[in-house]
Amino acid sequence: MFVDQVKINLKAGNGGNGMVAFRREKFVPNGGPAGGDGGRGGNIIFQVDEGLRTLMDFRYSRKFKAKNGGNGAIKSMTGRGADDTIIKVPQGTTVLNLETGEIMADLVASDDSAVIAKGGRGGRGNIHFASPKNPAPEIAENGEPGQEFEVQLELKVLADVGLVGFPSVGKSTLLSTVTSAKPKIAEYHFTTLVPNLGMVRLPDGRDFVMADLPGLIEGAATGVGLGFQFLRHVERTRVILHLIDMSGLEGRNPYEDFEKINEELKTYDPDILKRPQIVVANKMDMPDSADNLAQFKEDLKQDKLLAKTPEIFAVSALTHDGLTPLLGRTADMLAETPQFPVKQPEVATTAEYTFKPAAEFTLTQDPDGTWVLGGEKLEKLFQMTDINHDESLLRFARQMRGMGVDDSLRDHGAKNGDSVKIGDFTFEYMA
């Protein structure tokens, strides 16, 4: 099964907790703090595997969690750092953050890799909190939480040349003729259900990858037929071979077919039409093909979608006529055309919207009167607080006061004895 799009959840490892400990040796009565730091949590790294051709493996495994770092130990010993979790993906995989819509990585080269979710740093042991005023601190940090994301993986096949056109125009036949690929060929529409790749090798030593993309029809960009699920594979191609059935046996007008397919490409992404395009007039071995081609050339003069009138090559994929000059010209175009970057998804914004820095904390009140504190920064500080030691809690209280939490509670009408909640932890407010 060919799978080219899947959603998965990632959770990097938490850092290990720092330790509260003191040096205790014979004849050393005041050894001082000796609690070690926690180890680093494991990262989640995506790495290209040339042996993979599909995202099929992710259909059965959608949650990935890296290991946590080891806790600090006595005698100032640092906890063990966790190993990174490496996830293998095929070439051409794009990693998209579902929350922000941002492309986090585009893995194209055979040795590409990217850290997608970073592991948390280890918490500091009490050796870091000693001071002249407090030479024996009972303060240590818990490990930093690892990053957590829901991402979408999209596979966009790595092909230099893409074959597009209506169903049954001969794309699979052409691919099987000029490469060693063996796509399914039959006399019915939508024979090809997944992209097929093949390597074209020319006598002069040049070569390129060609992709037979599943048949497009009118309305594909809005979900008709096989829909737009395979249009994304056109994004990486540098040259488009637009196959047209010149025989007219199915009662369709060749020029109307040409316009409809280009309209679908434009609807999906207008920039695709800026790429070099060659019209491949196929099935020229049929009786009416020559007349239809002559009419097609006349109709093409009125085309307004493409910035440049495309070249036309008359071929017969079945009898192999005209394929040599077509492939030679395709290779020439590839040499002249650079690679196209993958575009960042567009995020809808309005003219009135202004970007504001994220608040350090949020404050709401439950129906029962409990004040609820939230916010990424505040919650992270709390998660890194060792609530088993009073000094650590006092340090967290000072941090909250410095962030303005006390002032905000007072301004919102909090009174002595009110309950304040952070996550699952509840404490009493004292003005």
Side-chain angles (χ1 to χ4, degrees), residues 165-230:
F166 267 77
S168 298
V169 295
K171 298 187 299 297
S172 297
T173 303
L174 177 62
L175 183 72
S176 65
T177 300
V178 300
T179 74
S180 59
K182 303 297 180 186
K184 184 177 180 180
I185 301 172
E187 293 183 359
Y188 57 85
H189 289 187
F190 301 111
T191 307
T192 303
L193 297 177
V194 301
N196 291 305
L197 294 176
M199 176 68 74
V200 178
R201 298 186 185 278
L202 301 183
D204 59 9
R206 293 181 294 176
D207 56 32
F208 53 86
V209 178
M210 180 181 286
D212 164 23
L213 303 176
L216 303 177
I217 63 173
E218 188 176 9
T222 57
V224 178
L226 293 178
F228 54 82
Q229 58 177 320
F230 295 116

Short mmCIF file of all heavy atoms in Angstrom, two decimals, residues 165-230:
data_model
loop_
_atom_site.label_atom_id
_atom_site.label_comp_id
_atom_site.label_asym_id
_atom_site.label_seq_id
_atom_site.Cartn_x
_atom_site.Cartn_y
_atom_site.Cartn_z
N GLY A 165 -1.88 14.34 -16.96
CA GLY A 165 -2.86 14.22 -18.04
C GLY A 165 -4.07 13.45 -17.56
O GLY A 165 -4.07 12.86 -16.47
N PHE A 166 -5.11 13.45 -18.40
CA PHE A 166 -6.33 12.72 -18.08
C PHE A 166 -6.05 11.22 -17.97
O PHE A 166 -5.04 10.73 -18.49
CB PHE A 166 -7.39 12.98 -19.16
CG PHE A 166 -8.31 14.12 -18.85
CD1 PHE A 166 -7.88 15.44 -19.02
CD2 PHE A 166 -9.58 13.91 -18.36
CE1 PHE A 166 -8.72 16.50 -18.74
CE2 PHE A 166 -10.43 14.97 -18.07
CZ PHE A 166 -10.00 16.27 -18.25
N PRO A 167 -6.94 10.46 -17.35
CA PRO A 167 -6.78 9.00 -17.33
C PRO A 167 -6.76 8.43 -18.75
O PRO A 167 -7.42 8.95 -19.65
CB PRO A 167 -8.00 8.52 -16.54
CG PRO A 167 -8.43 9.69 -15.73
CD PRO A 167 -8.10 10.90 -16.55
N SER A 168 -5.99 7.37 -18.92
CA SER A 168 -5.94 6.61 -20.17
C SER A 168 -5.38 7.40 -21.35
O SER A 168 -5.73 7.12 -22.50
CB SER A 168 -7.34 6.07 -20.54
OG SER A 168 -7.80 5.20 -19.55
N VAL A 169 -4.49 8.38 -21.08
CA VAL A 169 -3.84 9.08 -22.20
C VAL A 169 -2.50 8.44 -22.55
O VAL A 169 -1.86 8.85 -23.52
CB VAL A 169 -3.63 10.58 -21.89
CG1 VAL A 169 -4.96 11.29 -21.74
CG2 VAL A 169 -2.75 10.78 -20.66
N GLY A 170 -2.07 7.45 -21.75
CA GLY A 170 -0.84 6.73 -22.07
C GLY A 170 0.34 7.04 -21.19
O GLY A 170 1.48 6.75 -21.56
N LYS A 171 0.11 7.59 -19.99
CA LYS A 171 1.22 7.93 -19.10
C LYS A 171 1.97 6.67 -18.65
O LYS A 171 3.19 6.62 -18.68
CB LYS A 171 0.70 8.70 -17.87
CG LYS A 171 0.04 10.03 -18.22
CD LYS A 171 -0.30 10.85 -16.98
CE LYS A 171 -1.28 10.14 -16.06
NZ LYS A 171 -2.59 9.91 -16.72
N SER A 172 1.24 5.66 -18.21
CA SER A 172 1.88 4.43 -17.74
C SER A 172 2.60 3.72 -18.88
O SER A 172 3.69 3.15 -18.69
CB SER A 172 0.83 3.50 -17.12
OG SER A 172 0.24 4.08 -15.98
N THR A 173 2.01 3.75 -20.08
CA THR A 173 2.66 3.12 -21.23
C THR A 173 3.97 3.82 -21.55
O THR A 173 5.00 3.18 -21.82
CB THR A 173 1.73 3.17 -22.46
OG1 THR A 173 0.50 2.52 -22.14
CG2 THR A 173 2.37 2.48 -23.65
N LEU A 174 3.97 5.16 -21.52
CA LEU A 174 5.19 5.91 -21.78
C LEU A 174 6.25 5.60 -20.73
O LEU A 174 7.42 5.37 -21.07
CB LEU A 174 4.89 7.41 -21.79
CG LEU A 174 6.09 8.34 -21.98
CD1 LEU A 174 6.76 8.08 -23.32
CD2 LEU A 174 5.67 9.80 -21.87
N LEU A 175 5.87 5.56 -19.45
CA LEU A 175 6.83 5.28 -18.39
C LEU A 175 7.44 3.89 -18.55
O LEU A 175 8.65 3.71 -18.42
CB LEU A 175 6.15 5.40 -17.02
CG LEU A 175 7.07 5.20 -15.81
CD1 LEU A 175 8.00 6.40 -15.65
CD2 LEU A 175 6.27 4.99 -14.53
N SER A 176 6.60 2.90 -18.87
CA SER A 176 7.10 1.54 -19.02
C SER A 176 7.99 1.40 -20.25
O SER A 176 8.86 0.52 -20.31
CB SER A 176 5.93 0.55 -19.12
OG SER A 176 5.18 0.78 -20.29
N THR A 177 7.79 2.27 -21.25
CA THR A 177 8.58 2.20 -22.48
C THR A 177 9.97 2.80 -22.31
O THR A 177 10.96 2.25 -22.80
CB THR A 177 7.84 2.94 -23.62
OG1 THR A 177 6.57 2.32 -23.83
CG2 THR A 177 8.64 2.87 -24.91
N VAL A 178 10.07 3.93 -21.60
CA VAL A 178 11.35 4.64 -21.51
C VAL A 178 12.13 4.30 -20.25
O VAL A 178 13.27 4.74 -20.10
CB VAL A 178 11.12 6.16 -21.59
CG1 VAL A 178 10.45 6.52 -22.91
CG2 VAL A 178 10.31 6.68 -20.41
N THR A 179 11.54 3.55 -19.32
CA THR A 179 12.24 3.14 -18.11
C THR A 179 12.00 1.65 -17.89
O THR A 179 11.30 1.00 -18.66
CB THR A 179 11.73 3.91 -16.86
OG1 THR A 179 10.43 3.42 -16.49
CG2 THR A 179 11.64 5.41 -17.14
N SER A 180 12.59 1.13 -16.83
CA SER A 180 12.38 -0.28 -16.49
C SER A 180 11.24 -0.47 -15.51
O SER A 180 11.02 -1.57 -14.99
CB SER A 180 13.67 -0.86 -15.88
OG SER A 180 14.04 -0.13 -14.73
N ALA A 181 10.48 0.63 -15.23
CA ALA A 181 9.33 0.51 -14.32
C ALA A 181 8.25 -0.36 -14.96
O ALA A 181 8.12 -0.43 -16.18
CB ALA A 181 8.78 1.89 -13.99
N LYS A 182 7.46 -1.01 -14.10
CA LYS A 182 6.41 -1.91 -14.57
C LYS A 182 5.05 -1.48 -13.98
O LYS A 182 4.46 -2.20 -13.17
CB LYS A 182 6.71 -3.36 -14.18
CG LYS A 182 8.05 -3.88 -14.69
CD LYS A 182 8.11 -3.90 -16.21
CE LYS A 182 9.47 -4.44 -16.69
NZ LYS A 182 9.61 -4.33 -18.16
N PRO A 183 4.54 -0.32 -14.36
CA PRO A 183 3.23 0.10 -13.85
C PRO A 183 2.11 -0.74 -14.45
O PRO A 183 2.27 -1.35 -15.52
CB PRO A 183 3.12 1.56 -14.30
CG PRO A 183 3.96 1.62 -15.53
CD PRO A 183 5.10 0.67 -15.31
N LYS A 184 0.99 -0.76 -13.76
CA LYS A 184 -0.16 -1.50 -14.28
C LYS A 184 -0.75 -0.75 -15.46
O LYS A 184 -0.97 0.46 -15.41
CB LYS A 184 -1.21 -1.65 -13.17
CG LYS A 184 -2.42 -2.50 -13.58
CD LYS A 184 -3.38 -2.67 -12.42
CE LYS A 184 -4.57 -3.53 -12.83
NZ LYS A 184 -5.53 -3.70 -11.71
N ILE A 185 -1.03 -1.47 -16.55
CA ILE A 185 -1.58 -0.87 -17.77
C ILE A 185 -2.83 -1.65 -18.15
O ILE A 185 -2.81 -2.88 -18.26
CB ILE A 185 -0.55 -0.90 -18.92
CG1 ILE A 185 0.72 -0.13 -18.53
CG2 ILE A 185 -1.15 -0.33 -20.20
CD1 ILE A 185 1.85 -0.26 -19.53
N ALA A 186 -3.94 -0.92 -18.32
CA ALA A 186 -5.18 -1.58 -18.71
C ALA A 186 -6.08 -0.56 -19.41
O ALA A 186 -5.86 0.65 -19.31
CB ALA A 186 -5.90 -2.17 -17.49
N GLU A 187 -7.09 -1.06 -20.12
CA GLU A 187 -7.97 -0.17 -20.89
C GLU A 187 -9.17 0.29 -20.06
O GLU A 187 -10.32 0.07 -20.41
CB GLU A 187 -8.44 -0.88 -22.16
CG GLU A 187 -7.31 -1.16 -23.15
CD GLU A 187 -7.81 -1.79 -24.43
OE1 GLU A 187 -9.03 -2.03 -24.52
OE2 GLU A 187 -7.00 -2.05 -25.33
N TYR A 188 -8.90 0.92 -18.93
CA TYR A 188 -9.96 1.55 -18.15
C TYR A 188 -9.34 2.69 -17.35
O TYR A 188 -8.14 2.72 -17.12
CB TYR A 188 -10.67 0.56 -17.23
CG TYR A 188 -9.79 -0.18 -16.26
CD1 TYR A 188 -9.44 0.37 -15.02
CD2 TYR A 188 -9.30 -1.46 -16.55
CE1 TYR A 188 -8.64 -0.30 -14.13
CE2 TYR A 188 -8.50 -2.14 -15.67
CZ TYR A 188 -8.17 -1.56 -14.45
OH TYR A 188 -7.37 -2.22 -13.57
N HIS A 189 -10.19 3.62 -16.95
CA HIS A 189 -9.71 4.81 -16.26
C HIS A 189 -9.22 4.49 -14.85
O HIS A 189 -9.67 3.54 -14.21
CB HIS A 189 -10.83 5.86 -16.18
CG HIS A 189 -11.14 6.48 -17.52
ND1 HIS A 189 -11.99 7.54 -17.65
CD2 HIS A 189 -10.69 6.19 -18.77
CE1 HIS A 189 -12.07 7.88 -18.93
NE2 HIS A 189 -11.29 7.07 -19.62
N PHE A 190 -8.31 5.33 -14.38
CA PHE A 190 -7.75 5.21 -13.02
C PHE A 190 -7.09 3.85 -12.80
O PHE A 190 -7.19 3.28 -11.72
CB PHE A 190 -8.82 5.47 -11.95
CG PHE A 190 -9.46 6.82 -12.05
CD1 PHE A 190 -10.78 6.96 -12.44
CD2 PHE A 190 -8.72 7.96 -11.77
CE1 PHE A 190 -11.37 8.21 -12.55
CE2 PHE A 190 -9.30 9.23 -11.87
CZ PHE A 190 -10.62 9.35 -12.26
N THR A 191 -6.41 3.35 -13.84
CA THR A 191 -5.63 2.13 -13.65
C THR A 191 -4.52 2.37 -12.65
O THR A 191 -4.23 1.53 -11.79
CB THR A 191 -5.02 1.68 -15.00
OG1 THR A 191 -6.06 1.61 -15.97
CG2 THR A 191 -4.35 0.34 -14.87
N THR A 192 -3.88 3.55 -12.75
CA THR A 192 -2.81 3.92 -11.83
C THR A 192 -3.42 4.58 -10.59
O THR A 192 -4.09 5.60 -10.70
CB THR A 192 -1.82 4.88 -12.50
OG1 THR A 192 -1.31 4.26 -13.68
CG2 THR A 192 -0.68 5.22 -11.58
N LEU A 193 -3.18 3.98 -9.44
CA LEU A 193 -3.73 4.50 -8.18
C LEU A 193 -2.66 5.12 -7.29
O LEU A 193 -2.98 5.77 -6.30
CB LEU A 193 -4.45 3.39 -7.42
CG LEU A 193 -5.68 2.80 -8.14
CD1 LEU A 193 -6.26 1.66 -7.33
CD2 LEU A 193 -6.73 3.86 -8.40
N VAL A 194 -1.39 4.88 -7.61
CA VAL A 194 -0.29 5.45 -6.83
C VAL A 194 0.78 5.95 -7.80
O VAL A 194 0.86 5.47 -8.93
CB VAL A 194 0.33 4.41 -5.86
CG1 VAL A 194 -0.70 3.88 -4.90
CG2 VAL A 194 0.98 3.26 -6.63
N PRO A 195 1.60 6.92 -7.38
CA PRO A 195 2.67 7.38 -8.27
C PRO A 195 3.67 6.26 -8.54
O PRO A 195 4.01 5.47 -7.65
CB PRO A 195 3.33 8.51 -7.48
CG PRO A 195 2.30 8.93 -6.49
CD PRO A 195 1.53 7.70 -6.14
N ASN A 196 4.13 6.16 -9.78
CA ASN A 196 5.16 5.20 -10.17
C ASN A 196 6.40 5.96 -10.62
O ASN A 196 6.30 6.96 -11.32
CB ASN A 196 4.67 4.30 -11.31
CG ASN A 196 3.56 3.36 -10.86
OD1 ASN A 196 3.74 2.60 -9.91
ND2 ASN A 196 2.41 3.42 -11.51
N LEU A 197 7.56 5.48 -10.20
CA LEU A 197 8.82 6.13 -10.53
C LEU A 197 9.65 5.24 -11.43
O LEU A 197 9.61 4.01 -11.33
CB LEU A 197 9.63 6.45 -9.27
CG LEU A 197 9.05 7.48 -8.30
CD1 LEU A 197 9.94 7.60 -7.07
CD2 LEU A 197 8.93 8.83 -8.96
N GLY A 198 10.40 5.87 -12.33
CA GLY A 198 11.32 5.13 -13.18
C GLY A 198 12.50 6.01 -13.55
O GLY A 198 12.40 7.24 -13.56
N MET A 199 13.64 5.37 -13.82
CA MET A 199 14.86 6.10 -14.19
C MET A 199 15.04 6.05 -15.69
O MET A 199 15.07 4.97 -16.29
CB MET A 199 16.08 5.50 -13.48
CG MET A 199 17.40 6.13 -13.87
SD MET A 199 17.56 7.85 -13.31
CE MET A 199 17.84 7.58 -11.56
N VAL A 200 15.15 7.23 -16.31
CA VAL A 200 15.40 7.32 -17.75
C VAL A 200 16.90 7.52 -17.96
O VAL A 200 17.50 8.43 -17.39
CB VAL A 200 14.62 8.50 -18.37
CG1 VAL A 200 14.93 8.61 -19.86
CG2 VAL A 200 13.13 8.33 -18.14
N ARG A 201 17.50 6.67 -18.80
CA ARG A 201 18.93 6.78 -19.12
C ARG A 201 19.08 7.00 -20.62
O ARG A 201 18.61 6.18 -21.41
CB ARG A 201 19.70 5.54 -18.68
CG ARG A 201 19.63 5.29 -17.17
CD ARG A 201 20.52 4.14 -16.75
NE ARG A 201 20.37 3.82 -15.34
CZ ARG A 201 20.98 4.47 -14.35
NH1 ARG A 201 21.80 5.47 -14.63
NH2 ARG A 201 20.78 4.13 -13.09
N LEU A 202 19.76 8.08 -20.98
CA LEU A 202 19.95 8.41 -22.39
C LEU A 202 21.29 7.87 -22.88
O LEU A 202 22.23 7.68 -22.09
CB LEU A 202 19.88 9.93 -22.59
CG LEU A 202 18.57 10.60 -22.15
CD1 LEU A 202 18.61 12.08 -22.46
CD2 LEU A 202 17.37 9.96 -22.82
N PRO A 203 21.43 7.65 -24.19
CA PRO A 203 22.70 7.12 -24.73
C PRO A 203 23.90 8.01 -24.45
O PRO A 203 25.04 7.53 -24.38
CB PRO A 203 22.41 7.05 -26.24
CG PRO A 203 20.93 6.92 -26.35
CD PRO A 203 20.38 7.73 -25.22
N ASP A 204 23.67 9.33 -24.27
CA ASP A 204 24.80 10.24 -24.02
C ASP A 204 25.21 10.28 -22.56
O ASP A 204 26.05 11.10 -22.16
CB ASP A 204 24.47 11.65 -24.52
CG ASP A 204 23.22 12.23 -23.84
OD1 ASP A 204 22.73 11.61 -22.88
OD2 ASP A 204 22.74 13.29 -24.28
N GLY A 205 24.62 9.42 -21.72
CA GLY A 205 25.01 9.33 -20.32
C GLY A 205 24.14 10.12 -19.37
O GLY A 205 24.25 9.95 -18.15
N ARG A 206 23.28 10.98 -19.87
CA ARG A 206 22.40 11.75 -18.99
C ARG A 206 21.26 10.86 -18.48
O ARG A 206 20.86 9.90 -19.16
CB ARG A 206 21.82 12.96 -19.73
CG ARG A 206 22.86 14.00 -20.08
CD ARG A 206 22.22 15.20 -20.79
NE ARG A 206 21.68 14.85 -22.10
CZ ARG A 206 21.00 15.70 -22.88
NH1 ARG A 206 20.80 16.94 -22.44
NH2 ARG A 206 20.54 15.32 -24.05
N ASP A 207 20.78 11.17 -17.28
CA ASP A 207 19.65 10.40 -16.74
C ASP A 207 18.79 11.31 -15.87
O ASP A 207 19.24 12.36 -15.42
CB ASP A 207 20.12 9.16 -15.95
CG ASP A 207 21.09 9.50 -14.83
OD1 ASP A 207 20.97 10.61 -14.26
OD2 ASP A 207 21.96 8.69 -14.52
N PHE A 208 17.56 10.91 -15.65
CA PHE A 208 16.66 11.65 -14.78
C PHE A 208 15.54 10.72 -14.32
O PHE A 208 15.30 9.66 -14.93
CB PHE A 208 16.08 12.89 -15.48
CG PHE A 208 15.42 12.64 -16.80
CD1 PHE A 208 14.09 12.26 -16.87
CD2 PHE A 208 16.13 12.79 -17.99
CE1 PHE A 208 13.46 12.04 -18.08
CE2 PHE A 208 15.52 12.57 -19.22
CZ PHE A 208 14.18 12.19 -19.26
N VAL A 209 14.88 11.13 -13.23
CA VAL A 209 13.79 10.34 -12.65
C VAL A 209 12.46 10.87 -13.18
O VAL A 209 12.20 12.07 -13.16
CB VAL A 209 13.81 10.41 -11.11
CG1 VAL A 209 12.64 9.61 -10.53
CG2 VAL A 209 15.12 9.88 -10.57
N MET A 210 11.63 9.94 -13.65
CA MET A 210 10.32 10.30 -14.19
C MET A 210 9.24 9.67 -13.32
O MET A 210 9.37 8.52 -12.88
CB MET A 210 10.19 9.79 -15.63
CG MET A 210 8.86 10.10 -16.31
SD MET A 210 8.79 9.45 -18.01
CE MET A 210 9.87 10.61 -18.86
N ALA A 211 8.16 10.43 -13.06
CA ALA A 211 7.06 9.94 -12.24
C ALA A 211 5.77 9.96 -13.04
O ALA A 211 5.44 10.96 -13.67
CB ALA A 211 6.90 10.79 -10.98
N ASP A 212 5.08 8.84 -13.02
CA ASP A 212 3.74 8.74 -13.62
C ASP A 212 2.75 9.02 -12.50
O ASP A 212 2.58 8.21 -11.58
CB ASP A 212 3.56 7.33 -14.20
CG ASP A 212 2.10 6.99 -14.47
OD1 ASP A 212 1.31 7.94 -14.65
OD2 ASP A 212 1.76 5.80 -14.51
N LEU A 213 2.11 10.19 -12.54
CA LEU A 213 1.20 10.58 -11.47
C LEU A 213 -0.23 10.15 -11.81
O LEU A 213 -0.65 10.25 -12.97
CB LEU A 213 1.26 12.10 -11.27
CG LEU A 213 2.68 12.62 -10.97
CD1 LEU A 213 2.69 14.13 -10.87
CD2 LEU A 213 3.20 12.00 -9.68
N PRO A 214 -0.98 9.67 -10.84
CA PRO A 214 -2.35 9.18 -11.10
C PRO A 214 -3.19 10.21 -11.83
O PRO A 214 -3.05 11.42 -11.62
CB PRO A 214 -2.89 8.90 -9.69
CG PRO A 214 -1.68 8.58 -8.90
CD PRO A 214 -0.60 9.46 -9.44
N GLY A 215 -4.07 9.72 -12.72
CA GLY A 215 -4.84 10.57 -13.62
C GLY A 215 -5.63 11.66 -12.94
O GLY A 215 -6.35 11.42 -11.98
N LEU A 216 -5.45 12.87 -13.45
CA LEU A 216 -6.23 14.01 -12.98
C LEU A 216 -7.47 14.15 -13.85
O LEU A 216 -7.47 13.79 -15.02
CB LEU A 216 -5.41 15.28 -13.06
CG LEU A 216 -4.07 15.31 -12.32
CD1 LEU A 216 -3.37 16.62 -12.58
CD2 LEU A 216 -4.28 15.09 -10.85
N ILE A 217 -8.53 14.70 -13.28
CA ILE A 217 -9.73 15.01 -14.03
C ILE A 217 -10.22 16.38 -13.60
O ILE A 217 -9.70 16.96 -12.63
CB ILE A 217 -10.86 13.96 -13.83
CG1 ILE A 217 -11.29 13.93 -12.36
CG2 ILE A 217 -10.43 12.60 -14.32
CD1 ILE A 217 -12.49 13.05 -12.11
N GLU A 218 -11.19 16.90 -14.28
CA GLU A 218 -11.72 18.21 -13.93
C GLU A 218 -12.31 18.18 -12.51
O GLU A 218 -13.10 17.30 -12.18
CB GLU A 218 -12.80 18.63 -14.93
CG GLU A 218 -13.28 20.06 -14.76
CD GLU A 218 -14.27 20.47 -15.84
OE1 GLU A 218 -14.70 19.58 -16.61
OE2 GLU A 218 -14.61 21.65 -15.90
N GLY A 219 -11.88 19.12 -11.67
CA GLY A 219 -12.35 19.16 -10.29
C GLY A 219 -11.45 18.44 -9.31
O GLY A 219 -11.76 18.37 -8.12
N ALA A 220 -10.32 17.91 -9.78
CA ALA A 220 -9.43 17.15 -8.87
C ALA A 220 -8.93 18.02 -7.72
O ALA A 220 -8.79 17.56 -6.59
CB ALA A 220 -8.24 16.59 -9.65
N ALA A 221 -8.67 19.30 -8.00
CA ALA A 221 -8.15 20.19 -6.96
C ALA A 221 -9.15 20.42 -5.84
O ALA A 221 -8.79 20.87 -4.75
CB ALA A 221 -7.74 21.53 -7.57
N THR A 222 -10.43 20.12 -6.09
CA THR A 222 -11.45 20.27 -5.05
C THR A 222 -11.95 18.92 -4.54
O THR A 222 -12.93 18.85 -3.82
CB THR A 222 -12.65 21.08 -5.59
OG1 THR A 222 -13.17 20.43 -6.76
CG2 THR A 222 -12.21 22.48 -5.96
N GLY A 223 -11.26 17.83 -4.94
CA GLY A 223 -11.58 16.52 -4.39
C GLY A 223 -12.29 15.55 -5.30
O GLY A 223 -12.63 14.45 -4.89
N VAL A 224 -12.52 15.91 -6.57
CA VAL A 224 -13.21 15.01 -7.49
C VAL A 224 -12.26 13.92 -7.95
O VAL A 224 -11.06 14.14 -8.10
CB VAL A 224 -13.76 15.80 -8.71
CG1 VAL A 224 -14.45 14.87 -9.70
CG2 VAL A 224 -14.72 16.88 -8.23
N GLY A 225 -12.81 12.71 -8.20
CA GLY A 225 -11.99 11.59 -8.66
C GLY A 225 -11.02 11.14 -7.57
O GLY A 225 -11.41 10.93 -6.42
N LEU A 226 -9.74 11.02 -7.95
CA LEU A 226 -8.73 10.69 -6.95
C LEU A 226 -8.39 11.91 -6.09
O LEU A 226 -7.62 11.81 -5.15
CB LEU A 226 -7.45 10.18 -7.63
CG LEU A 226 -7.58 8.83 -8.34
CD1 LEU A 226 -6.25 8.47 -9.01
CD2 LEU A 226 -7.99 7.73 -7.39
N GLY A 227 -8.97 13.06 -6.47
CA GLY A 227 -8.77 14.25 -5.64
C GLY A 227 -7.39 14.85 -5.80
O GLY A 227 -6.63 14.52 -6.71
N PHE A 228 -7.07 15.76 -4.88
CA PHE A 228 -5.80 16.47 -4.94
C PHE A 228 -4.70 15.76 -4.17
O PHE A 228 -3.62 16.29 -4.00
CB PHE A 228 -5.97 17.89 -4.39
CG PHE A 228 -6.57 17.93 -3.01
CD1 PHE A 228 -5.79 17.73 -1.90
CD2 PHE A 228 -7.92 18.16 -2.84
CE1 PHE A 228 -6.34 17.76 -0.63
CE2 PHE A 228 -8.48 18.20 -1.57
CZ PHE A 228 -7.68 17.99 -0.47
N GLN A 229 -4.97 14.51 -3.69
CA GLN A 229 -3.99 13.85 -2.83
C GLN A 229 -2.67 13.59 -3.55
O GLN A 229 -1.63 13.47 -2.91
CB GLN A 229 -4.56 12.53 -2.29
CG GLN A 229 -4.98 11.55 -3.38
CD GLN A 229 -5.46 10.24 -2.80
OE1 GLN A 229 -4.89 9.74 -1.83
NE2 GLN A 229 -6.52 9.68 -3.37
N PHE A 230 -2.71 13.50 -4.89
CA PHE A 230 -1.47 13.24 -5.61
C PHE A 230 -0.92 14.49 -6.30
O PHE A 230 0.14 14.45 -6.89
CB PHE A 230 -1.67 12.13 -6.64
CG PHE A 230 -1.98 10.80 -6.01
CD1 PHE A 230 -3.20 10.18 -6.21
CD2 PHE A 230 -1.06 10.18 -5.18
CE1 PHE A 230 -3.49 8.97 -5.61
CE2 PHE A 230 -1.34 8.97 -4.58
CZ PHE A 230 -2.56 8.36 -4.79
#
